[in-house]
Amino acid sequence: RMIPVKLADPDIIPHLHHGDTVDIVTASDATNSEPVTARVIASGARVVSTTTAEGEVSSATVLLALPNEHANDVAAASLNQPLTVVIVGDRAQPQAVDDADAAT
């Protein structure tokens, strides 16, 4: 399934690449004794597009591919909750530093 997701913090959009793996996150409800915490709505979504039909980088919406069991949850959450994404997967891993680079 593919779903457009309007992000609460669109500043991340220029950092997303086609094929990136992301988790979709919202904030849990805060109570008087508990602070707001992150709640992952879906894991392992893939970035399909960050551009509009005209080929420009979108100002707030990304197109994500999700497994069927998560797509409906994300669609429903997007109606009344702010959503953002966290880049996960290979591109999110720290890069090894070459010994020659570390010496400079």
Side-chain angles (χ1 to χ4, degrees), residues 2-18 22 24 46-65 74-75 78 83-85:
M2 286 191 283
I3 180 170
V5 176
K6 184 172 183 172
L7 300 180
D9 183 10
D11 290 342
I12 193 171
I13 292 175
H15 303 287
L16 297 174
H17 300 163
H18 171 79
V22 297
I24 302 165
R46 300 293 273 215
V47 175
V48 174
S49 178
T50 60
T51 58
T52 65
E54 293 79 30
E56 299 172 1
V57 173
S58 173
S59 63
T61 304
V62 295
L63 185 62
L64 301 175
V74 172
S78 72
L83 301 177
T84 193
V85 295

Side-chain angles (χ1 to χ4, degrees), residues 81-95:
Q81 297 175 33
L83 301 177
T84 193
V85 295
V86 175
I87 302 170
V88 298
D90 293 339
R91 204 165 73 83
Q93 300 304 312
Q95 300 299 314

